[in-house]
Amino acid sequence: MDKNKKDNFKKLWWIVFAILIIVLVVILFTGNNSYGDKITPKGFTEMINTDQVGEVYYYGGVFRITKVDSDKKLPNSSDFYCEVATSATQENLINLITSKNIDYTEQQIKESFLETIMPYISLFVILIIAYFIFRAITKGGQGSMGFGKSKARATDNIKVRFSDVAGADEEKAELEEVVEFLKNPQKFTNLGARIPKGVLLVGPPGTGKTLLAKAVAGESNVPFLSISGSDFVEMFVGVGASRVRDLFDQAKKSRPCIIFIDEIDAVGRQRGTGLGGGNDEREQTLNQLLVEMDGFEANEGIIVLAATNRSDVLDPALLRPGRFDRQIYVHVPDVKGRESIIKIHARNKPLDDDIDFKVLARITSGFTGADIENMLNEASILAARANRPKIIMSDLTEGINKVIMGPQKKSRLVTDRDKKITTYHESGHAILGKLLENCDEVQEVSIIPRGMAAGYTMSRPSEDDQHMTYNKLNDQIAMCMGGRIAEQIVFGDISTGASNDIQHATDIARKMVTEWGMSNRLGFIGYDTSTQPFLGRDYQNQSKYSEETAAIIDEEIRGILDYNYKRAYKLLEENRLIMDKMSELLIIKETIYKEEVDMLMEGKSVDEIVAEMDKKAEILKEKEEKGRKDNEYLRKLNDLNNKLKTAEMLLKAGVVTKKEYDQLVDNKNEIEKEYENHKQNAEKQEVEVAENVNENKSENGENKEPEKKVRRPRTKKTASENDTVKKDKVQKLNEKMVKTTKKPKKTDKND
C-alpha cells in the first residue's frame, strides 16, 4: 500500500469512528421505551372506573399502568402510561386511585449511572477529536488529517525528451548540464565544480518552460516532483511552511531527483510589500523555501527547477547564488524555431502536399509554442468540419486568424451603410500597408466581423525584426490612421470604428517620446513613469518630470501623430481609384488575400480579380471533392478488408461457403479498379488545370519580375466633382483635423 492510500485509509477510519460515537450517543440517550401505549388522563380515568387497572406506578410526572391479570411487573415495564401537565390533575387521579383501592407506588426521579456520566463522555470524545484536528493543523501534517503535507505529484517515468522540444536550442544546451550532473555527478565533483542548486526558467506564457522541465526529468531518468506555487498557500497558519518542509523531505528520500515549482511568483514575491509591510503567511512560506534551498542541511542530488513569467516581482534573496544560481530566459521562438515547432505538432496530422512549413513559420511571427499548437488544432477542427481528409492551407490561415482575433461572426447583421464604411476603412489600412516601405506585408483583408472588430486587415512581417526603427514606427502610425482617413475622404464624415487604431498609434508615439528617445526637443532621455506591482509599496504612479516637461511631451506626441496623419492623407487621396476598387471587391467577396491586394495595386480591374478568385475557388472545390471521394474509397476498402478477414476464418470453420467468400473478393477488386480509375482521371484534370493557369499567367505577363513598390497616383477621379457642397464639407473637416506641423527630425533610428 503506497503512502497516499495509507493516508486515505486513516481519514476513512476517523470518519467511521466519529459515526460510531454519534450512533452510540443516540442509543444511550433514547434508550428502550418499555412504557407501553400512551393514554390521556380521561382515558386513564375511564379505565379506573371500569376496574381495568391492576397496578399504578408514578415516576417523574408519568403514571405507568398495568392491566388486571397482566404479566408485566412494575417498575421495569407497563401496559400503558399517562403524562400529566398540572398538579391538580395529578392530585385528582391519585385520589381516584386511592378510592378504588388500586396498588399505587410513588417514587422520586433517580438517574442511572450511564445517564449521569453520558454528557461527560460526549464532551470528552468531542475534545479528543478537536485535539487531533488541531494537532494535524499546527504540527504540519504529521497528524492524521494531513493539512501540512505537500501536494507534490511524484512521477518516475517521464516520457518527454529534448527531441520533443523545438525552438529553444540554447535553452536546451544550458539544461543539458543539469542532466549530465544527475547522470554522472562524479565528473563535476572531481574538478571541484558545483552544480547549480536551482534553475529559474523565465519567459512569456506558452514558450515551453514546463515542457523543458519535464524534458530534463525525462532525459535524466530521475523522480520528478511537480507542484504549483499556489499549492503552498492555505488559510491555516503555518501550513505553507510545513508543505515546503514536507516537499524537501520527500525529495531527500528519492534523491537524486528534480523538484519543479510552477508559477513560483505566487509564493516568491518580494517580502515587505503587503499592506503595511505585514508579516503574512506567504512570507513565512518563502522564508522556509529559502532555508530549505540554502540551509545547514545538505541537499545533494536535489535540483530545484522553477518557472515564472514575472521574474521582476521575485524576492532578491531567492535569486542570489546558492539558491537559483542560473536564470534561463525562454524566448519567443524565431522563424527557424517556429518551423521546427510546427513540424513537431504536425507529426500526427494529415497535411496537404501544398503546405509549406517555411511560409507558415514566416506568417506566424510572434507566436509561442502554445499558440502554434492551438493554431494547428483549430485547423484540424476546421478540416473535420468540412469533411476533408487532409488539412489545407486555408484551414491553417483561418487557424492563425482565430488565435489572433477570435472566430468569425458571419451571422451578425450588418447594414449596407456599415458594410460600405467598413470596406473603405479596411481599404485605407491595406493600401497604406502596401505603399509605405517599412510596413509589414498585408496578408488578408476582410469585412467579416471577428471578435470585437467589424473588419480587419491582417499584416504579418516577412522576417523577425530585432529592432524597431524610427521610420518603421512612423509607418506603423500612418497605417493605423488609414481607416479614419479613408472614411474622411470618401464620406466627408468619420465614425467610431477607429478607436483602437487611435489608441495603438498614440501608444507608439508616446513610447517614441518617453522611452526610446526619438524626440529632438527632449533628446536622449527616458521619461517613463515607474510603477510598483504591489499594493503596499506605491498607490499611484509618480512622474519623474515637471509639468512643463509633461506639456512638451504632449506636444511632441501630437506632432508625430499630425505629421503621419498628413502624409497618410496625401497617399490615400492620390490612390483613391485603388481604394474604390478594393471597396467594390470587398463588397463582392468579403475577404481578399495578398494575391488580390497585389493585383489591385498593379491596376487590374475588379472583374479580372473576381474571375481569378472564382477560378481558384473552383480548383479548391474540385480538390476537396477528390479528397472526399478518396476518403470514401479508402473507407469502403477498409470495411471490405475487415469483412474478408472474418470471412476467411468462417470459411475455415465451414460457416461461410467458398462462393460467398469469392463474391467478397470480387467486390474488393471492383472497388480497387474504380479507385485507380478515379486517381488517373484526377491527375489528368490537375495537369490540365495547371497548364491553363500557366497559359493565363503568360498572357497576363505574371511571370515577369515583380516591380518594386511605387506610389501610384490616381489617374481618374471617381468622386463626385460636381457636388460642391460635399467637397466644401470635406475640405472644412480636413482643415479642422489636419494641422500644419513640422516633420519631427530623426535622432537615432535604432531601439
Side-chain angles (χ1 to χ4, degrees):
M1 188 181 293
D2 58 10
K3 191 174 181 180
N4 292 331
K5 288 184 178 179
K6 288 182 179 179
D7 293 339
N8 293 332
F9 180 77
K10 287 181 180 180
K11 293 178 181 179
L12 182 62
W13 188 90
W14 274 101
I15 292 172
V16 172
F17 177 74
I19 292 172
L20 289 175
I21 292 294
I22 294 171
V23 171
L24 180 62
V25 170
V26 172
I27 292 174
L28 290 175
F29 274 107
T30 55
N32 184 20
N33 188 4
S34 59
Y35 288 8
D37 299 330
K38 183 178 181 180
I39 59 175
T40 61
K42 185 177 179 181
F44 185 24
T45 303
E46 291 178 356
M47 289 181 65
I48 295 172
N49 293 327
T50 55
D51 298 327
Q52 299 181 34
V53 178
E55 188 178 359
V56 178
Y57 184 88
Y58 181 77
Y59 175 78
V62 178
F63 288 98
R64 294 168 60 186
I65 308 148
T66 60
K67 295 177 68 175
V68 179
D69 301 328
S70 176
D71 58 350
K72 294 183 173 62
K73 296 183 179 180
L74 297 175
N76 294 326
S77 60
S78 62
D79 295 317
F80 306 95
Y81 73 95
C82 176
E83 294 179 350
V84 292
T86 62
S87 57
T89 304
Q90 175 186 344
E91 186 177 351
N92 293 332
L93 288 173
I94 293 173
N95 293 331
L96 184 59
I97 292 169
T98 307
S99 64
K100 294 290 186 179
N101 295 322
I102 298 172
D103 293 337
Y104 173 73
T105 304
E106 185 174 346
Q107 186 176 355
Q108 298 294 325
I109 298 175
K110 292 183 179 180
E111 294 181 346
S112 65
F113 179 72
L114 272 179
E115 290 176 336
T116 303
I117 67 171
M118 199 62 222
Y120 302 99
I121 294 174
S122 303
L123 181 62
F124 181 72
V125 170
I126 293 172
L127 290 175
I128 289 176
I129 295 174
Y131 168 75
F132 279 108
I133 294 174
F134 180 77
R135 183 183 175 189
I137 296 172
T138 57
K139 292 294 182 77
Q142 304 303 319
S144 60
M145 303 301 288
F147 284 100
K149 291 188 178 296
S150 170
K151 295 183 179 181
R153 295 171 291 276
T155 309
D156 294 326
N157 297 317
I158 302 291
K159 296 183 179 180
V160 181
R161 298 292 185 268
F162 279 141
S163 58
D164 300 319
V165 183
D169 296 335
E170 291 78 10
E171 292 83 353
K172 288 193 291 184
E174 291 284 334
L175 293 171
E176 283 176 355
E177 295 178 2
V178 177
V179 176
E180 186 67 20
F181 172 78
L182 291 170
K183 288 184 175 180
N184 187 18
Q186 198 67 29
K187 174 182 175 181
F188 296 87
T189 55
N190 290 340
L191 295 172
R194 177 182 62 83
I195 200 70
K197 291 185 178 181
V199 179
L200 182 64
L201 302 174
V202 184
T207 51
K209 300 183 292 294
T210 304
L211 187 65
L212 277 169
K214 290 182 178 179
V216 171
E219 290 285 347
S220 55
N221 196 24
V222 297
F224 184 72
L225 303 176
S226 62
I227 191 171
S228 173
S230 59
D231 289 336
F232 292 111
V233 184
E234 284 284 355
M235 63 179 291
F236 304 113
V237 177
V239 172
S242 173
R243 287 177 177 175
V244 172
R245 288 192 295 270
D246 186 71
L247 173 63
F248 279 85
D249 288 340
Q250 291 182 45
K252 290 172 184 177
K253 295 175 183 177
S254 313
R255 59 187 177 188
C257 69
I258 294 174
I259 296 175
F260 177 62
I261 305 174
D262 200 8
E263 306 297 343
I264 195 173
D265 54 278
V267 70
R269 285 178 176 262
Q270 191 169 344
R271 290 168 291 182
T273 56
L275 188 61
N279 188 17
D280 58 6
E281 169 66 11
R282 181 185 54 78
E283 291 191 3
Q284 298 302 320
T285 306
L286 175 59
N287 291 335
Q288 188 62 45
L289 180 62
L290 297 175
V291 171
E292 292 292 340
M293 291 189 68
D294 189 27
F296 290 104
E297 298 185 16
N299 292 328
E300 291 87 358
I302 301 174
I303 293 179
V304 181
L305 296 180
T308 182
N309 48 31
R310 293 296 311 276
S311 61
D312 57 312
V313 303
L314 295 180
D315 194 279
L318 196 64
L319 304 176
R320 75 158 177 83
R323 289 175 179 137
F324 284 107
D325 308 79
R326 184 174 296 180
Q327 297 183 37
I328 300 175
Y329 193 90
V330 186
H331 294 267
V332 175
D334 56 9
V335 63
K336 183 181 177 182
R338 292 195 299 273
E339 184 179 350
S340 303
I341 295 171
I342 292 171
K343 289 179 179 178
I344 285 179
H345 288 298
R347 286 185 297 193
N348 300 321
K349 291 180 172 61
L351 299 179
D352 192 72
D353 299 333
D354 297 336
I355 292 176
D356 190 348
F357 290 115
K358 293 186 181 296
V359 174
L360 280 177
R362 184 175 58 81
I363 64 177
T364 53
S365 177
F367 275 39
T368 63
D371 294 330
I372 291 172
E373 190 276 333
N374 190 24
M375 177 265 293
L376 285 166
N377 184 63
E378 291 290 348
S380 302
I381 294 172
L382 290 169
R385 189 183 299 170
N387 295 320
R388 283 191 286 268
K390 293 183 178 181
I391 300 171
I392 61 176
M393 192 64 187
S394 61
D395 297 329
L396 292 168
T397 54
E398 178 61 22
I400 293 172
N401 293 339
K402 289 185 73 173
V403 171
I404 297 174
M405 302 185 65
Q408 291 181 341
K409 307 286 186 180
K410 291 185 177 181
S411 61
R412 184 181 297 177
L413 294 176
V414 182
T415 63
D416 293 338
R417 178 180 174 274
D418 288 341
K419 184 180 288 187
K420 191 172 183 180
I421 292 174
T422 305
T423 60
Y424 277 101
H425 185 102
E426 302 304 332
S427 298
H429 288 308
I431 292 172
L432 288 177
K434 296 297 293 185
L435 294 175
L436 296 171
E437 184 180 356
N438 299 290
C439 283
D440 295 332
E441 194 72 37
V442 177
Q443 300 293 335
E444 183 179 349
V445 185
S446 178
I447 61 171
I448 300 174
R450 188 186 290 271
M452 299 297 294
Y456 60 91
T457 300
M458 187 70 66
S459 301
R460 308 300 297 167
S462 56
E463 56 187 12
D464 295 334
D465 294 328
Q466 298 297 321
H467 298 282
M468 297 293 288
T469 64
Y470 178 86
N471 289 331
K472 185 175 179 68
L473 291 169
N474 275 296
D475 286 354
Q476 285 187 355
I477 293 173
M479 184 180 175
C480 288
M481 296 174 173
R484 165 64 63 84
I485 295 172
E487 295 177 15
Q488 184 180 347
I489 291 174
V490 176
F491 302 103
D493 199 2
I494 55 178
S495 69
T496 59
S499 60
N500 190 52
D501 300 328
I502 295 172
Q503 185 64 47
H504 186 52
T506 306
D507 289 341
I508 296 175
R510 184 173 296 279
K511 289 181 178 180
M512 290 173 67
V513 174
T514 61
E515 296 184 28
W516 300 328
M518 295 182 178
S519 170
N520 189 48
R521 290 181 64 186
L522 295 172
F524 195 74
I525 302 177
Y527 292 96
D528 191 23
T529 57
S530 62
T531 58
Q532 296 291 338
F534 310 113
L535 179 61
R537 184 73 58 87
D538 292 323
Y539 291 91
Q540 60 184 359
N541 298 341
Q542 295 182 354
S543 299
K544 297 181 179 180
Y545 45 84
S546 63
E547 294 183 0
E548 291 79 4
T549 304
I552 297 174
I553 290 174
D554 292 339
E555 291 175 5
E556 288 294 290
I557 294 172
R558 179 62 182 270
I560 293 174
L561 295 175
D562 287 347
Y563 159 68
N564 287 293
Y565 196 97
K566 287 180 64 179
R567 69 191 189 105
Y569 190 98
K570 183 179 179 182
L571 285 173
L572 288 181
E573 195 174 36
E574 292 174 352
N575 292 271
R576 170 66 186 274
L577 179 61
I578 299 176
M579 190 162 54
D580 292 333
K581 288 182 179 180
M582 189 174 292
S583 173
E584 184 182 350
L585 184 60
L586 284 171
I587 290 177
I588 298 172
K589 291 296 185 180
E590 292 187 332
T591 301
I592 60 176
Y593 300 93
K594 178 180 179 297
E595 294 80 6
E596 289 77 43
V597 175
D598 290 340
M599 286 190 284
L600 281 169
M601 300 303 295
E602 292 169 1
K604 287 192 175 182
S605 66
V606 175
D607 294 337
E608 290 177 323
I609 299 172
V610 170
E612 289 288 335
M613 295 181 71
D614 291 340
K615 191 178 294 183
K616 290 179 182 178
E618 188 65 28
I619 294 172
L620 181 61
K621 187 178 179 182
E622 291 177 358
K623 191 174 182 179
E624 290 181 356
E625 184 64 27
K626 176 184 174 296
R628 280 192 285 269
K629 287 184 178 180
D630 288 343
N631 201 29
E632 186 178 350
Y633 278 119
L634 291 173
R635 182 182 57 80
K636 289 181 179 179
L637 288 172
N638 187 46
D639 292 341
L640 283 172
N641 285 328
N642 293 332
K643 289 180 180 179
L644 280 171
K645 290 179 181 179
T646 306
E648 189 176 356
M649 292 187 294
L650 295 175
L651 180 63
K652 293 178 180 179
V655 179
V656 174
T657 62
K658 184 70 165 60
K659 184 178 180 181
E660 292 173 336
Y661 180 79
D662 292 340
Q663 183 64 39
L664 287 174
V665 174
D666 293 339
N667 292 340
K668 180 188 174 185
N669 293 333
E670 185 178 350
I671 292 177
E672 286 180 342
K673 188 177 180 180
E674 290 180 6
Y675 184 38
E676 191 65 29
N677 293 332
H678 165 69
K679 288 195 293 184
Q680 291 177 1
N681 293 331
E683 289 175 359
K684 289 180 181 178
Q685 290 179 359
E686 288 180 0
V687 171
E688 292 175 358
V689 169
E691 290 177 351
N692 293 331
V693 171
N694 291 331
E695 288 177 2
N696 293 332
K697 285 184 177 181
S698 300
E699 293 175 359
N700 297 328
E702 293 184 6
N703 290 330
K704 297 179 181 179
E705 289 291 328
E707 297 180 1
K708 191 176 180 181
K709 284 192 293 187
V710 294
R711 191 179 302 174
R712 296 181 177 272
R714 183 175 50 160
T715 58
K716 183 180 178 181
K717 295 184 178 183
T718 58
S720 180
E721 298 180 355
N722 298 324
D723 194 351
T724 309
V725 178
K726 182 177 179 181
K727 187 175 180 180
D728 293 341
K729 184 179 179 182
V730 173
Q731 186 66 28
K732 287 179 182 179
L733 187 62
N734 295 344
E735 292 174 355
K736 183 179 180 181
M737 298 189 66
V738 183
K739 293 185 178 180
T740 305
T741 56
K742 295 183 179 179
K743 177 180 178 180
K745 296 182 180 180
K746 293 182 273 187
T747 54
D748 187 2
K749 295 183 180 180
N750 292 326
D751 184 13

